[in-house]
Amino acid sequence: MVFKRYVEIGRVAYISFGPHAGSLVAIVDVIDQNRALVDGPCTGVKRQSMPFKCMQLTDYVIKVPHSARQKFVRRAWEKAQVTEKWAGSNWAKKIEARQKRAQMSDFDRFKVMKAKRMRNKIIKHEVKKLQKEAAKKA
Amino acid sequence: MYMSLYRLMAEGDKKKVAKKAHCSRNPVLARGIGRYSRTAMYARRAMYKRKTKTTETKIEKKMKVKTPSTITKTVGGDKNGGTRVVKMRKMPRYYPTEDVPHKLKNHGKKPFSQHKRNLRATITPGTVLVLLTGRHRGKRVVFLKQLSSGLLLVTGPLALNRVPLRRAHQKFVIATATKVDISGMKIPKTLSDAYFKKKRLRRPRHQEGEIFDTEKEKYQLTVQRKEDQKAVDSQLLPLIKKVPQLKGYLRSSFCLSNGVYPHKLVF
Protein backbone atom coordinates (compact mmCIF):
# COMPACT_ATOMS: atom_id res chain seq x y z
CA MET A 1 0.00 0.00 0.00
CA VAL A 2 1.34 3.37 -0.97
CA PHE A 3 -0.97 5.45 1.18
CA LYS A 4 -2.41 4.23 4.46
CA ARG A 5 -4.40 7.23 5.65
CA TYR A 6 -7.07 8.69 3.41
CA VAL A 7 -9.07 11.85 3.47
CA GLU A 8 -12.58 10.65 4.29
CA ILE A 9 -15.56 11.91 6.19
CA GLY A 10 -14.73 11.54 9.87
CA ARG A 11 -10.95 11.41 9.45
CA VAL A 12 -9.29 13.13 12.37
CA ALA A 13 -6.55 15.52 11.27
CA TYR A 14 -3.85 17.43 13.12
CA ILE A 15 -3.51 21.09 12.14
CA SER A 16 0.17 21.85 11.61
CA PHE A 17 0.16 25.60 10.98
CA GLY A 18 -2.15 28.57 10.94
CA PRO A 19 -4.25 30.10 13.71
CA HIS A 20 -5.40 26.72 15.04
CA ALA A 21 -2.00 25.08 14.89
CA GLY A 22 -1.61 22.14 17.23
CA SER A 23 -5.25 21.07 17.56
CA LEU A 24 -7.21 18.11 16.21
CA VAL A 25 -10.20 18.38 13.90
CA ALA A 26 -12.53 15.99 12.14
CA ILE A 27 -13.13 16.28 8.39
CA VAL A 28 -16.88 16.63 8.02
CA ASP A 29 -17.19 17.35 4.30
CA VAL A 30 -15.05 18.06 1.25
CA ILE A 31 -15.61 21.42 -0.42
CA ASP A 32 -13.36 21.17 -3.43
CA GLN A 33 -9.94 19.91 -4.35
CA ASN A 34 -8.12 22.03 -1.77
CA ARG A 35 -10.54 22.62 1.07
CA ALA A 36 -12.55 20.63 3.53
CA LEU A 37 -15.30 21.50 5.97
CA VAL A 38 -13.77 20.80 9.32
CA ASP A 39 -15.02 20.77 12.90
CA GLY A 40 -13.33 20.30 16.26
CA PRO A 41 -16.00 20.55 18.93
CA CYS A 42 -13.88 18.91 21.62
CA THR A 43 -10.70 20.79 20.72
CA GLY A 44 -12.07 24.31 20.46
CA VAL A 45 -11.97 24.71 16.68
CA LYS A 46 -15.12 26.27 15.24
CA ARG A 47 -16.75 24.67 12.25
CA GLN A 48 -15.03 26.17 9.21
CA SER A 49 -13.39 25.44 5.88
CA MET A 50 -9.75 24.58 6.01
CA PRO A 51 -7.22 23.86 3.30
CA PHE A 52 -5.82 20.32 3.17
CA LYS A 53 -2.33 21.72 3.12
CA CYS A 54 -2.38 22.64 6.79
CA MET A 55 -3.89 19.32 7.84
CA GLN A 56 -1.93 16.21 8.68
CA LEU A 57 -4.00 13.01 8.75
CA THR A 58 -3.97 10.87 11.87
CA ASP A 59 -4.90 7.22 12.31
CA TYR A 60 -8.24 7.97 13.87
CA VAL A 61 -11.59 8.02 12.08
CA ILE A 62 -14.89 8.81 13.72
CA LYS A 63 -18.18 7.49 12.45
CA VAL A 64 -20.09 10.51 11.27
CA PRO A 65 -22.31 11.13 8.21
CA HIS A 66 -21.19 13.92 5.86
CA SER A 67 -22.18 17.47 6.85
CA ALA A 68 -23.25 16.23 10.27
CA ARG A 69 -24.10 18.86 12.85
CA GLN A 70 -21.56 19.79 15.47
CA LYS A 71 -23.59 18.01 18.16
CA PHE A 72 -23.23 14.70 16.40
CA VAL A 73 -19.58 15.22 15.58
CA ARG A 74 -19.00 15.81 19.29
CA ARG A 75 -20.95 12.69 20.18
CA ALA A 76 -18.99 10.52 17.77
CA TRP A 77 -15.71 12.06 18.91
CA GLU A 78 -16.40 11.32 22.56
CA LYS A 79 -17.64 7.80 21.74
CA ALA A 80 -14.43 7.02 19.88
CA GLN A 81 -12.39 8.61 22.71
CA VAL A 82 -10.20 10.38 20.21
CA THR A 83 -8.68 12.87 22.68
CA GLU A 84 -7.55 10.11 25.06
CA LYS A 85 -6.16 7.96 22.24
CA TRP A 86 -4.34 10.95 20.81
CA ALA A 87 -2.78 11.87 24.17
CA GLY A 88 -1.43 8.34 24.44
CA SER A 89 -0.02 8.24 20.92
CA ASN A 90 3.68 8.59 20.23
CA TRP A 91 3.03 11.49 17.87
CA ALA A 92 1.43 13.59 20.58
CA LYS A 93 4.14 12.64 23.07
CA LYS A 94 6.86 13.77 20.67
CA ILE A 95 5.11 17.10 20.14
CA GLU A 96 4.90 17.63 23.87
CA ALA A 97 8.57 16.73 24.34
CA ARG A 98 9.55 19.21 21.64
CA GLN A 99 7.55 21.96 23.35
CA LYS A 100 9.07 21.17 26.73
CA ARG A 101 12.56 21.27 25.28
CA ALA A 102 11.92 24.67 23.70
CA GLN A 103 10.70 26.08 27.02
CA MET A 104 13.73 24.90 29.02
CA SER A 105 15.57 27.59 30.92
CA ASP A 106 19.35 27.74 31.10
CA PHE A 107 19.29 26.06 34.51
CA ASP A 108 17.03 23.28 33.17
CA ARG A 109 19.46 22.64 30.35
CA PHE A 110 22.26 22.30 32.85
CA LYS A 111 20.25 19.80 34.90
CA VAL A 112 19.41 17.79 31.77
CA MET A 113 23.06 17.73 30.79
CA LYS A 114 24.04 16.40 34.21
CA ALA A 115 21.29 13.78 34.16
CA LYS A 116 22.24 12.61 30.67
CA ARG A 117 25.88 12.35 31.66
CA MET A 118 25.05 10.28 34.73
CA ARG A 119 22.76 8.00 32.72
CA ASN A 120 25.34 7.42 30.02
CA LYS A 121 27.97 6.67 32.61
CA ILE A 122 25.83 3.96 34.15
CA ILE A 123 25.04 2.49 30.74
CA LYS A 124 28.67 2.50 29.64
CA HIS A 125 29.69 0.91 32.90
CA GLU A 126 27.28 -1.97 32.39
CA VAL A 127 28.30 -2.40 28.74
CA LYS A 128 31.94 -2.54 29.73
CA LYS A 129 31.14 -5.16 32.31
CA LEU A 130 29.36 -7.33 29.75
CA GLN A 131 32.16 -6.87 27.23
CA LYS A 132 34.69 -7.98 29.82
CA GLU A 133 32.70 -11.10 30.58
CA ALA A 134 32.30 -11.89 26.90
CA ALA A 135 36.03 -11.39 26.35
CA LYS A 136 36.78 -13.71 29.25
CA LYS A 137 34.56 -16.43 27.86
CA ALA A 138 36.10 -16.25 24.40
CA MET B 1 -28.65 70.50 62.78
CA TYR B 2 -25.84 73.07 62.88
CA MET B 3 -24.55 71.58 66.16
CA SER B 4 -24.32 68.05 64.75
CA LEU B 5 -22.29 69.23 61.76
CA TYR B 6 -19.82 70.97 64.06
CA ARG B 7 -19.36 67.79 66.08
CA LEU B 8 -18.70 65.76 62.95
CA MET B 9 -16.04 68.27 61.85
CA ALA B 10 -14.29 68.09 65.23
CA GLU B 11 -14.08 64.32 65.10
CA GLY B 12 -12.56 64.38 61.65
CA ASP B 13 -10.04 67.10 62.48
CA LYS B 14 -8.32 65.01 65.12
CA LYS B 15 -6.95 62.61 62.53
CA LYS B 16 -5.66 65.34 60.15
CA VAL B 17 -7.07 64.04 56.88
CA ALA B 18 -4.48 64.19 54.09
CA LYS B 19 -6.08 65.90 51.11
CA LYS B 20 -5.45 64.80 47.56
CA ALA B 21 -3.38 67.28 45.53
CA HIS B 22 -5.50 69.49 43.29
CA CYS B 23 -4.76 69.73 39.59
CA SER B 24 -3.46 73.04 38.24
CA ARG B 25 -5.91 75.85 38.94
CA ASN B 26 -4.50 77.82 36.01
CA PRO B 27 -5.93 76.53 32.72
CA VAL B 28 -3.57 76.70 29.76
CA LEU B 29 -4.47 79.12 26.95
CA ALA B 30 -1.44 78.32 24.83
CA ARG B 31 1.84 76.67 25.65
CA GLY B 32 3.52 78.67 28.42
CA ILE B 33 0.54 81.06 28.85
CA GLY B 34 -1.94 80.62 31.68
CA ARG B 35 -5.36 82.10 32.07
CA TYR B 36 -4.64 83.93 35.36
CA SER B 37 -1.94 86.36 36.38
CA ARG B 38 0.53 85.84 39.16
CA THR B 39 -1.50 87.74 41.74
CA ALA B 40 -4.74 86.08 40.65
CA MET B 41 -3.09 82.71 41.13
CA TYR B 42 -1.89 83.75 44.58
CA ALA B 43 -5.49 84.31 45.55
CA ARG B 44 -6.78 81.17 43.84
CA ARG B 45 -4.29 78.92 45.55
CA ALA B 46 -4.99 80.64 48.89
CA MET B 47 -1.29 81.25 49.46
CA TYR B 48 -2.34 83.91 51.98
CA LYS B 49 -3.32 81.00 54.24
CA ARG B 50 -0.04 79.19 53.79
CA LYS B 51 2.48 81.57 55.32
CA THR B 52 4.79 79.32 57.33
CA LYS B 53 7.69 81.68 57.95
CA THR B 54 6.92 84.77 60.09
CA THR B 55 9.29 87.74 60.35
CA GLU B 56 12.37 86.85 62.35
CA THR B 57 12.80 88.35 65.79
CA LYS B 58 15.84 90.34 66.98
CA ILE B 59 17.11 87.35 68.97
CA GLU B 60 16.86 85.12 65.90
CA LYS B 61 18.77 87.73 63.92
CA LYS B 62 21.58 87.72 66.47
CA MET B 63 21.64 83.92 66.52
CA LYS B 64 22.20 83.75 62.72
CA VAL B 65 25.79 82.80 61.93
CA LYS B 66 27.37 84.92 59.25
CA THR B 67 29.86 83.17 56.94
CA PRO B 68 33.28 84.71 57.45
CA SER B 69 34.43 87.19 54.79
CA THR B 70 38.13 86.45 55.34
CA ILE B 71 40.09 83.38 56.42
CA THR B 72 43.59 83.21 57.90
CA LYS B 73 45.83 80.54 56.45
CA THR B 74 49.27 79.39 57.56
CA VAL B 75 52.18 80.03 55.22
CA GLY B 76 54.00 76.85 54.21
CA GLY B 77 56.82 76.16 51.87
CA ASP B 78 59.86 78.43 51.69
CA LYS B 79 58.57 81.37 53.75
CA ASN B 80 57.35 79.05 56.54
CA GLY B 81 55.76 80.28 59.73
CA GLY B 82 53.40 83.17 60.16
CA THR B 83 49.89 83.60 58.75
CA ARG B 84 48.29 85.47 55.91
CA VAL B 85 44.75 86.72 55.49
CA VAL B 86 42.79 85.49 52.46
CA LYS B 87 39.47 86.94 51.28
CA MET B 88 36.66 84.44 50.78
CA ARG B 89 34.99 86.47 48.03
CA LYS B 90 37.52 88.17 45.78
CA MET B 91 36.99 91.10 43.41
CA PRO B 92 36.87 90.22 39.71
CA ARG B 93 40.29 90.30 38.11
CA TYR B 94 39.00 91.55 34.73
CA TYR B 95 36.20 93.86 33.59
CA PRO B 96 35.42 93.53 29.85
CA THR B 97 34.95 96.80 27.96
CA GLU B 98 31.98 95.48 25.98
CA ASP B 99 29.21 93.18 27.15
CA VAL B 100 30.04 89.55 26.71
CA PRO B 101 27.21 87.81 24.80
CA HIS B 102 25.49 85.34 27.10
CA LYS B 103 24.96 81.80 25.93
CA LEU B 104 21.42 80.47 25.84
CA LYS B 105 20.55 78.27 28.80
CA ASN B 106 20.40 74.52 28.37
CA HIS B 107 17.10 72.71 28.75
CA GLY B 108 16.89 69.32 30.34
CA LYS B 109 20.55 68.38 29.82
CA LYS B 110 21.57 66.73 33.04
CA PRO B 111 25.01 65.55 34.08
CA PHE B 112 25.61 61.81 34.21
CA SER B 113 25.20 61.68 37.98
CA GLN B 114 21.60 62.88 37.67
CA HIS B 115 20.59 60.63 34.78
CA LYS B 116 17.65 58.29 35.16
CA ARG B 117 18.82 54.70 35.65
CA ASN B 118 16.83 51.93 34.04
CA LEU B 119 16.92 48.30 34.97
CA ARG B 120 15.53 45.52 32.83
CA ALA B 121 12.44 43.95 34.36
CA THR B 122 14.05 40.52 34.11
CA ILE B 123 16.93 41.57 36.39
CA THR B 124 15.89 41.49 40.07
CA PRO B 125 18.04 40.97 43.17
CA GLY B 126 19.07 37.34 43.29
CA THR B 127 18.88 36.69 39.56
CA VAL B 128 21.57 34.51 38.03
CA LEU B 129 23.24 36.44 35.21
CA VAL B 130 25.57 35.25 32.46
CA LEU B 131 28.48 37.65 31.94
CA LEU B 132 29.27 38.15 28.29
CA THR B 133 32.35 40.36 28.28
CA GLY B 134 35.41 40.88 30.37
CA ARG B 135 37.80 38.38 31.85
CA HIS B 136 34.86 36.48 33.40
CA ARG B 137 32.95 35.97 30.18
CA GLY B 138 30.65 32.99 30.13
CA LYS B 139 30.50 32.75 33.89
CA ARG B 140 27.22 32.53 35.74
CA VAL B 141 26.97 34.99 38.55
CA VAL B 142 24.49 36.23 41.16
CA PHE B 143 23.10 39.78 40.91
CA LEU B 144 22.95 41.72 44.17
CA LYS B 145 21.84 45.26 43.46
CA GLN B 146 22.08 48.15 41.05
CA LEU B 147 24.54 50.88 42.05
CA SER B 148 23.90 54.59 41.70
CA SER B 149 25.84 54.75 38.42
CA GLY B 150 23.54 52.16 36.90
CA LEU B 151 26.08 49.35 36.92
CA LEU B 152 25.12 46.05 38.49
CA LEU B 153 26.80 44.80 41.66
CA VAL B 154 27.50 41.14 41.14
CA THR B 155 29.27 38.34 42.99
CA GLY B 156 30.39 34.82 41.92
CA PRO B 157 30.31 33.82 44.77
CA LEU B 158 34.11 33.80 44.82
CA ALA B 159 34.32 30.25 46.20
CA LEU B 160 32.33 28.86 43.28
CA ASN B 161 33.63 30.58 40.18
CA ARG B 162 36.37 33.03 41.22
CA VAL B 163 34.26 36.07 40.41
CA PRO B 164 34.62 38.57 43.28
CA LEU B 165 32.29 41.42 44.22
CA ARG B 166 32.39 43.27 40.98
CA ARG B 167 30.48 45.66 38.79
CA ALA B 168 28.91 44.51 35.53
CA HIS B 169 27.20 46.45 32.80
CA GLN B 170 23.53 45.69 32.22
CA LYS B 171 23.92 45.63 28.45
CA PHE B 172 26.62 42.99 28.48
CA VAL B 173 24.80 40.47 30.55
CA ILE B 174 22.14 37.83 29.92
CA ALA B 175 19.49 37.58 32.62
CA THR B 176 18.38 34.00 33.20
CA ALA B 177 15.08 32.98 34.71
CA THR B 178 16.82 31.39 37.71
CA LYS B 179 16.53 33.42 40.91
CA VAL B 180 17.92 33.02 44.43
CA ASP B 181 15.88 34.45 47.30
CA ILE B 182 18.14 37.23 48.52
CA SER B 183 15.59 39.20 50.51
CA GLY B 184 17.15 38.27 53.85
CA MET B 185 20.65 39.30 52.83
CA LYS B 186 22.33 42.44 54.09
CA ILE B 187 24.76 44.01 51.65
CA PRO B 188 27.33 46.31 53.31
CA LYS B 189 26.58 49.97 52.66
CA THR B 190 30.22 50.69 51.83
CA LEU B 191 29.89 48.95 48.46
CA SER B 192 29.32 51.84 46.07
CA ASP B 193 30.73 53.14 42.82
CA ALA B 194 33.53 55.00 44.62
CA TYR B 195 34.59 51.71 46.27
CA PHE B 196 34.92 49.96 42.93
CA LYS B 197 36.32 52.80 40.88
CA LYS B 198 39.76 52.15 39.37
CA LYS B 199 42.44 54.11 41.19
CA ARG B 200 44.79 56.28 39.17
CA LEU B 201 48.21 57.25 40.51
CA ARG B 202 48.94 60.62 38.97
CA ARG B 203 52.23 62.00 40.19
CA PRO B 204 54.44 62.18 37.12
CA ARG B 205 57.71 63.80 38.07
CA HIS B 206 58.10 64.84 34.44
CA GLN B 207 61.25 62.85 33.80
CA GLU B 208 62.54 62.51 30.27
CA GLY B 209 62.61 58.73 30.11
CA GLU B 210 59.90 56.32 31.37
CA ILE B 211 56.98 58.65 30.73
CA PHE B 212 54.84 55.75 29.53
CA ASP B 213 55.75 53.44 32.35
CA THR B 214 52.62 53.46 34.58
CA GLU B 215 53.34 52.44 38.14
CA LYS B 216 50.13 50.70 39.08
CA GLU B 217 49.28 48.26 36.31
CA LYS B 218 48.71 45.31 38.61
CA TYR B 219 45.58 45.25 40.78
CA GLN B 220 46.32 45.11 44.50
CA LEU B 221 43.97 43.10 46.70
CA THR B 222 43.13 44.94 49.91
CA VAL B 223 42.08 43.47 53.23
CA GLN B 224 38.82 45.40 53.07
CA ARG B 225 37.90 43.71 49.81
CA LYS B 226 38.52 40.29 51.29
CA GLU B 227 36.40 41.11 54.32
CA ASP B 228 33.51 42.47 52.28
CA GLN B 229 33.68 39.45 50.01
CA LYS B 230 33.52 37.14 53.02
CA ALA B 231 30.64 39.08 54.55
CA VAL B 232 28.55 38.81 51.40
CA ASP B 233 29.46 35.26 50.43
CA SER B 234 28.90 33.83 53.89
CA GLN B 235 25.27 34.96 53.60
CA LEU B 236 24.89 33.90 49.98
CA LEU B 237 26.41 30.41 49.99
CA PRO B 238 23.87 28.78 52.35
CA LEU B 239 21.04 30.20 50.21
CA ILE B 240 22.65 28.68 47.12
CA LYS B 241 23.17 25.33 48.80
CA LYS B 242 19.44 25.13 49.53
CA VAL B 243 18.58 24.92 45.81
CA PRO B 244 19.62 21.52 44.40
CA GLN B 245 22.27 21.61 41.68
CA LEU B 246 22.52 25.41 41.76
CA LYS B 247 26.07 25.23 43.09
CA GLY B 248 27.22 23.17 40.12
CA TYR B 249 25.31 25.48 37.80
CA LEU B 250 27.16 28.54 39.08
CA ARG B 251 30.45 26.72 38.79
CA SER B 252 29.86 25.89 35.12
CA SER B 253 30.17 28.39 32.30
CA PHE B 254 27.83 29.17 29.44
CA CYS B 255 28.73 28.07 25.92
CA LEU B 256 27.11 27.67 22.52
CA SER B 257 27.47 24.54 20.46
CA ASN B 258 26.16 23.13 17.19
CA GLY B 259 22.45 23.57 16.75
CA VAL B 260 22.13 26.01 19.65
CA TYR B 261 20.86 29.41 18.51
CA PRO B 262 20.65 32.25 21.05
CA HIS B 263 17.53 33.74 19.48
CA LYS B 264 15.71 30.46 20.02
CA LEU B 265 16.92 29.84 23.55
CA VAL B 266 14.76 30.60 26.54
CA PHE B 267 17.08 31.86 29.28
Side-chain angles (χ1 to χ4, degrees):
Chain A
M1 298 289 278
V2 189
F3 292 105
K4 288 186 217 126
R5 301 174 185 150
Y6 295 95
V7 168
E8 48 194 317
I9 308 294
R11 172 67 66 181
V12 173
Y14 171 80
I15 305 177
S16 52
F17 61 86
H20 302 285
S23 32
L24 290 179
V25 275
I27 296 176
V28 169
D29 207 349
V30 171
I31 300 171
D32 61 12
Q33 204 201 334
N34 305 319
R35 293 174 298 154
L37 176 64
V38 120
D39 198 356
C42 303
T43 53
V45 180
K46 286 203 179 124
R47 186 169 250 243
Q48 60 193 271
S49 85
M50 194 170 282
F52 286 117
K53 272 200 178 155
C54 69
M55 286 189 258
Q56 291 175 352
L57 305 179
T58 65
D59 286 329
Y60 313 118
V61 186
I62 57 173
K63 218 170 165 240
V64 122
H66 79 124
S67 318
R69 229 170 87 207
Q70 186 174 61
K71 172 174 162 191
F72 299 113
V73 177
R74 186 195 298 270
R75 213 182 268 175
W77 188 290
E78 281 163 4
K79 183 155 175 229
Q81 297 172 318
V82 175
T83 355
E84 288 87 357
K85 286 196 195 153
W86 169 252
S89 72
N90 277 332
W91 187 348
K93 287 187 195 154
K94 274 191 262 171
I95 292 170
E96 207 204 313
R98 218 178 296 145
Q99 283 170 346
K100 272 201 184 152
R101 208 176 296 144
Q103 288 303 311
M104 270 201 290
S105 83
D106 195 41
F107 190 24
D108 294 332
R109 262 174 263 130
F110 172 79
K111 287 192 255 191
V112 163
M113 181 262 284
K114 284 284 174 186
K116 268 191 175 173
R117 194 182 284 186
M118 200 184 296
R119 175 177 176 257
N120 288 336
K121 220 180 188 180
I122 297 169
I123 292 172
K124 281 211 190 104
H125 184 66
E126 293 297 314
V127 168
K128 279 275 156 79
K129 269 208 297 202
L130 292 172
Q131 280 177 342
K132 232 186 181 179
E133 280 176 34
K136 256 195 202 169
K137 277 196 186 160
Chain B
M1 211 173 83
Y2 234 154
M3 283 304 285
S4 61
L5 272 171
Y6 257 117
R7 223 172 286 148
L8 284 169
M9 280 294 284
E11 280 173 39
D13 258 7
K14 284 186 182 161
K15 288 177 191 162
K16 274 265 160 133
V17 187
K19 282 199 184 144
K20 223 173 72 175
H22 198 279
C23 67
S24 167
R25 289 176 211 263
N26 195 358
V28 173
L29 297 174
R31 188 168 29 152
I33 303 173
R35 167 68 184 81
Y36 300 102
S37 70
R38 203 181 275 269
T39 46
M41 280 314 292
Y42 188 89
R44 294 190 107 218
R45 289 172 68 200
M47 296 304 275
Y48 53 84
K49 278 196 203 168
R50 298 196 214 179
K51 288 196 192 142
T52 49
K53 207 176 171 204
T54 49
T55 50
E56 56 177 21
T57 58
K58 276 197 178 164
I59 303 168
E60 280 178 337
K61 227 182 183 177
K62 282 194 180 166
M63 300 279 277
K64 252 203 303 189
V65 177
K66 221 175 154 190
T67 52
S69 56
T70 61
I71 264 188
T72 45
K73 285 190 175 173
T74 53
V75 178
D78 288 344
K79 305 197 173 86
N80 210 330
T83 55
R84 61 189 176 101
V85 178
V86 172
K87 277 197 184 176
M88 283 309 291
R89 272 171 314 199
K90 299 187 196 141
M91 302 304 293
R93 58 189 148 87
Y94 175 68
Y95 291 96
T97 51
E98 286 174 337
D99 281 331
V100 182
H102 284 281
K103 285 190 177 166
L104 295 168
K105 280 233 159 112
N106 252 342
H107 170 77
K109 308 272 192 302
K110 291 187 187 161
F112 179 72
S113 54
Q114 290 174 30
H115 281 177
K116 187 171 144 221
R117 314 291 176 197
N118 294 324
L119 187 61
R120 271 187 267 161
T122 48
I123 303 179
T124 60
T127 314
V128 173
L129 308 172
V130 178
L131 299 176
L132 294 174
T133 54
R135 55 179 57 227
H136 298 289
R137 63 193 88 99
K139 293 208 180 151
R140 296 181 174 110
V141 124
V142 178
F143 168 67
L144 298 174
K145 67 186 251 211
Q146 188 181 34
L147 302 170
S148 56
S149 71
L151 295 171
L152 313 176
L153 176 61
V154 126
T155 179
L158 187 67
L160 296 183
N161 50 22
R162 292 306 285 170
V163 177
L165 281 165
R166 206 169 202 263
R167 296 187 294 178
H169 190 110
Q170 214 192 132
K171 280 266 170 200
F172 302 108
V173 129
I174 295 180
T176 64
T178 325
K179 298 198 198 281
V180 186
D181 186 11
I182 263 192
S183 46
M185 244 180 76
K186 288 196 192 89
I187 302 165
K189 291 273 164 91
T190 52
L191 301 175
S192 67
D193 283 300
Y195 178 92
F196 288 107
K197 196 159 170 62
K198 287 207 183 104
K199 271 72 174 181
R200 263 202 248 167
L201 247 188
R202 272 263 172 144
R203 292 282 189 93
R205 294 284 170 179
H206 288 291
Q207 283 168 352
E208 271 301 305
E210 302 162 15
I211 310 173
F212 299 107
D213 183 27
T214 47
E215 292 138 34
K216 213 208 237 174
E217 274 183 49
K218 256 225 123 189
Y219 164 73
Q220 308 290 346
L221 233 199
T222 61
V223 180
Q224 203 206 358
R225 287 256 185 164
K226 284 197 205 171
E227 280 177 17
D228 287 328
Q229 184 75 52
K230 221 192 249 179
V232 172
D233 282 0
S234 59
Q235 296 177 60
L236 190 52
L237 278 169
L239 297 170
I240 290 173
K241 290 209 172 117
K242 269 197 220 159
V243 183
Q245 298 191 302
L246 187 60
K247 192 171 139 204
Y249 177 56
L250 290 173
R251 289 192 65 197
S252 67
S253 53
F254 176 77
C255 65
L256 295 172
S257 59
N258 268 349
V260 177
Y261 306 110
H263 70 288
K264 290 215 153 167
L265 285 180
V266 167
F267 283 100

